Amino acid sequence: MITFEGEHKNLKARIFSERPFAYLFIFIIYSFVISRFFEDKNLKYYAYFLELALLILCITLAINSFKSIINLVTIDENKIILEGEDFNAKWEKSISLKETKIEAKCKSTRGGLCSTTFYLKLKNGKNSYTINSFQTFSDEQILKIFNDFKTYKGEKIIIDEKLDIMRIQEKIEKCQ
């Protein structure tokens, strides 16, 4: 049994991260576009309706972006235990190792490799879980979680996954 513990980020830190503000920015831009498109007084009510619908959509997406976080990952021989918070309520989920798939992904920015955020996506049936969505785990931990998952499951690392692993290792070597 191997346990990986990430940094704890409370609800306030997650709310004031960059993602909810991105949805606010999108709302402001599209609201401006909608108001310019429906400048005619007869169509003004359609603009209000579209802006309200867009506001509800952006609020829903913003809330979904910061509501859940995973702080602790435990890999056992036949299960994975995920612990985290949903808003401020602690939760724990145990999923089968055999029925779970893992993908290493990254969020790239214009800052190059050093500002890239790597995260893991665990897919179990219809459910998916994102590890490191708020940069709570280090790149070394992400790499170790991925390798230990593959080892416990008995899977080989395919070429596409090796490319992702090499990018994580390159970031660890160049940007530490």
Side-chain angles (χ1 to χ4, degrees):
M1 178 186 305
I2 299 174
T3 301
F4 302 95
E5 187 170 354
E7 176 187 345
H8 179 266
K9 289 199 177 178
N10 61 9
L11 182 63
K12 185 177 179 182
R14 295 191 313 257
I15 288 173
F16 291 110
S17 66
E18 62 191 37
R19 279 197 271 164
F21 290 110
Y23 291 113
L24 177 65
F25 181 71
I26 289 170
F27 169 71
I28 290 170
I29 297 239
Y30 280 111
S31 178
F32 180 74
V33 170
I34 289 170
S35 66
R36 291 291 177 201
F37 187 73
F38 291 105
E39 279 184 328
D40 185 14
K41 295 189 187 234
N42 294 335
L43 300 175
K44 202 170 201 177
Y45 296 109
Y46 292 115
Y48 293 145
F49 175 73
L50 285 174
E51 287 179 7
L52 179 65
L54 181 64
L55 178 65
I56 291 170
L57 177 69
C58 286
I59 288 172
T60 303
L61 290 173
I63 289 172
N64 280 336
S65 73
F66 67 75
K67 78 173 190 174
S68 292
I69 188 170
I70 296 175
N71 297 326
L72 192 73
V73 178
T74 304
I75 301 175
D76 202 352
E77 293 165 1
N78 56 1
K79 65 182 174 180
I80 302 170
I81 301 169
L82 304 171
E83 293 180 33
E85 289 183 6
D86 205 13
F87 291 108
N88 269 340
K90 295 199 181 287
W91 61 270
E92 182 177 319
K93 181 78 175 176
S94 179
I95 55 177
S96 172
L97 184 67
K98 291 182 181 180
E99 298 171 3
T100 305
K101 294 179 182 177
I102 192 169
E103 296 177 9
K105 299 200 174 229
C106 70
K107 259 187 271 182
S108 299
T109 60
R110 291 185 177 183
L113 183 65
C114 291
S115 62
T116 301
T117 302
F118 292 97
Y119 62 98
L120 299 174
K121 195 86 157 168
L122 296 175
K123 294 183 180 179
N124 185 305
K126 293 181 181 178
N127 299 324
S128 66
Y129 306 95
T130 304
I131 298 173
N132 202 31
S133 60
F134 288 96
Q135 299 177 354
T136 53
F137 290 91
S138 67
D139 293 325
E140 293 89 359
Q141 287 176 312
I142 293 295
L143 191 61
K144 186 89 170 104
I145 291 170
F146 184 83
N147 288 331
D148 288 345
F149 178 90
K150 290 291 192 175
T151 302
Y152 274 102
K153 194 168 178 183
E155 289 183 349
K156 292 187 177 187
I157 298 173
I158 60 174
I159 293 174
D160 293 341
E161 295 170 340
K162 280 188 181 184
L163 293 174
D164 292 329
I165 289 172
M166 287 172 48
R167 285 190 66 208
I168 296 172
Q169 288 173 340
E170 183 180 0
K171 181 183 175 188
I172 292 169
E173 291 169 4
K174 288 184 177 179
C175 303
Q176 294 300 329

